[in-house]
Amino acid sequence: MKTPSQLKKADDLFEKSSMSFGDHLEALRKALVWAFVSLGIGMLIGMPLADQVVNYIQTPLRVALKRYENDRSKKEIEIKTGQEVSKEFFGWMQANGRYWQQVEVDVADLRAALGMPSDSPDGIGTTNLPPNEAVAAKVAETPPVASEGTEDTKDTVNINQLSVDRLRKIALFLPIDTKTDALGMQEGFMIWLKAGFALGFIISSPGIFYAMWTFVAAGLYPHERRYVYFFLPVSVGLFVGGACLAFFFIFQFVIDFLLKFNDSMGINASPRLTDYMSFAIFLPLGFGIAFQLPLVMLVLERLGIMSVKTYISQWRAAILIIAFLSMILTPAEVTSMIGMCVPLIGLYFLGIGMCHWLPRKGSPHEGYDPK
């Protein structure tokens, strides 16, 4: 390593480069301008579609919540009734998105709402009642009675006349609520901006990666710049592949795991819009960026900072570092950590293979011809 006294001129840092320090700064400026212009165009395309993106991103959550409520209801029915739920009935619950809830109602009020005579048998229960939709429709048809002295309609049920002896348990199968909650008026707008930014980044990713690789290519010799035509599509492909893996596969397992974990602790899940959407938007982006590992390894090897021998000898330490980064870059649960860690380990060995099968030839300035 050279001492400060040996570096008499700043340009000495670039004595083996095809560009001066000023040329590097100019190339960086052009690359940043190109990247921001690409991102701006992507956001102009993505913003009008942001509301559709927000709705689509909630699909895994809706699926997980329905499955969670169906399974929870099935277990609760079997525990409280001592009977096993048939596959046909459970399939009906799943197909119609229903969950089970047991409530107590006053027999007299229920008979009146259903239009049944007051002297009907007292054995009114779930087997004697029409479907829940019919009950709800019948109750909805009952006209409200206006209280004297006011124009407002009020419930005329006299609570003091209710008798505990007249209460009967009935089972209701209610629609599962899969909507997220917004605790602030500005949350919807902020989520819309984040969704538009994320979609714009994905749309503009080819332009952004092109700007990055043109900056790298600016410091290379002419015969080395042909690397860009090989690295650019691979880089975009790895990014899109990582984002798709996170959203279409890993994400569903993460939600299922978190819902089941909360249920095991007796905690009801009530997803908040901001937390869920931030998690759903940026987790795929994190996967896409992390999947650039093989190219980073290849660049470091080409610059002489690392070697294939070092990569192979330090594979245990590399796996430890990958596991630590996966823990930091993913939520605090094991599913997404494993979902990122395992592919990155495979990509690490892919990077070793790329460094081996695309070796240097001759001098350090002789690049591999991908043609």
Side-chain angles (χ1 to χ4, degrees):
M1 182 176 179
K2 294 182 179 181
T3 62
S5 60
Q6 292 175 310
L7 296 175
K8 297 180 180 179
K9 297 181 181 179
D11 289 343
D12 289 344
L13 293 170
F14 303 94
E15 59 184 359
K16 293 183 180 180
S17 173
S18 60
M19 299 175 64
S20 65
F21 178 71
D23 293 335
H24 275 286
L25 289 179
E26 179 63 20
L28 177 61
R29 185 189 67 83
K30 291 181 179 179
L32 290 176
V33 170
W34 180 271
F36 281 114
V37 170
S38 300
L39 180 60
I41 295 175
M43 291 187 67
L44 288 176
I45 299 174
M47 283 299 180
L49 304 174
D51 54 341
Q52 301 179 33
V53 173
V54 172
N55 183 62
Y56 181 74
I57 287 180
Q58 295 183 72
T59 301
L61 178 63
R62 297 191 185 103
V63 173
L65 283 174
K66 287 182 179 179
R67 182 163 48 239
Y68 163 75
E69 290 293 348
N70 288 149
D71 294 339
R72 185 189 62 80
S73 295
K74 181 176 181 292
K75 293 178 182 178
E76 192 172 352
I77 292 173
E78 292 177 344
I79 292 174
K80 291 189 176 182
T81 65
Q83 301 177 9
E84 184 177 356
V85 178
S86 65
K87 293 183 179 179
E88 293 77 11
F89 188 76
F90 186 63
W92 175 86
M93 292 175 59
Q94 292 176 315
N96 292 275
R98 294 291 194 269
Y99 76 98
W100 180 80
Q101 184 177 6
Q102 191 177 60
V103 297
E104 294 182 349
V105 297
D106 184 270
V107 176
D109 290 337
L110 184 59
R111 286 172 182 160
L114 298 176
M116 299 173 63
S118 59
D119 57 349
S120 60
D122 193 41
I124 188 170
T126 56
T127 58
N128 300 323
L129 293 180
N132 292 296
E133 290 80 359
V135 175
K138 193 68 177 179
V139 173
E141 292 173 0
T142 304
V145 179
S147 302
E148 296 182 1
T150 177
E151 296 180 356
D152 297 333
T153 58
K154 296 183 179 180
D155 194 348
T156 58
V157 176
N158 191 341
I159 299 299
N160 296 322
Q161 292 180 357
L162 293 178
S163 174
V164 177
D165 297 334
R166 295 206 308 263
L167 295 180
R168 296 292 184 271
K169 291 182 179 180
I170 65 171
L172 299 179
F173 292 88
L174 306 174
I176 299 173
D177 185 11
T178 59
K179 294 182 180 179
T180 53
D181 298 325
L183 303 184
M185 292 186 296
Q186 77 283 0
E187 286 191 21
F189 178 73
M190 297 304 298
I191 288 300
W192 181 79
L193 288 179
K194 290 181 180 180
F197 172 79
L199 181 60
F201 186 87
I202 294 175
I203 293 175
S204 61
S205 59
I208 294 175
F209 284 109
Y210 175 79
M212 179 186 69
W213 285 111
T214 52
F215 170 68
V216 174
L220 301 177
Y221 287 88
H223 65 277
E224 295 176 323
R225 293 174 186 172
R226 285 172 288 185
Y227 271 118
V228 174
Y229 301 104
F230 171 74
F231 286 154
L232 179 60
V234 174
S235 181
V236 174
L238 287 173
F239 175 80
V240 174
C244 291
L245 174 67
F247 184 78
F248 293 105
F249 295 98
I250 304 300
F251 196 49
Q252 193 69 66
F253 290 105
V254 172
I255 298 175
D256 290 336
F257 172 82
L258 293 176
L259 289 176
K260 291 179 181 178
F261 184 81
N262 289 340
D263 184 56
S264 66
M265 298 180 63
I267 301 175
N268 291 327
S270 181
R272 182 181 175 184
L273 178 64
T274 298
D275 296 337
Y276 171 78
M277 293 302 298
S278 299
F279 168 60
I281 290 173
F282 292 107
L283 181 65
L285 294 181
F287 267 72
I289 295 174
F291 270 44
Q292 304 298 309
L293 177 62
L295 292 182
V296 173
M297 294 173 60
L298 186 58
V299 170
L300 292 177
E301 193 271 339
R302 288 294 180 268
L303 294 176
I305 299 176
M306 302 292 289
S307 65
V308 177
K309 185 179 295 184
T310 302
Y311 285 141
I312 295 175
S313 62
Q314 300 297 324
W315 68 270
R316 294 179 180 84
I319 291 177
L320 181 62
I321 295 174
I322 289 174
F324 177 76
L325 292 177
S326 299
M327 180 180 63
I328 297 298
L329 297 176
T330 56
E333 48 81 36
V334 68
T335 308
S336 57
M337 174 184 171
I338 296 176
M340 177 178 283
C341 182
V342 173
L344 284 183
I345 292 174
L347 291 175
Y348 177 81
F349 289 101
L350 174 63
I352 293 177
M354 292 175 64
C355 294
H356 177 74
W357 294 107
L358 303 177
R360 296 178 182 273
K361 294 185 178 180
S363 69
H365 301 296
E366 291 184 6
Y368 169 74
D369 188 355
K371 294 183 178 180

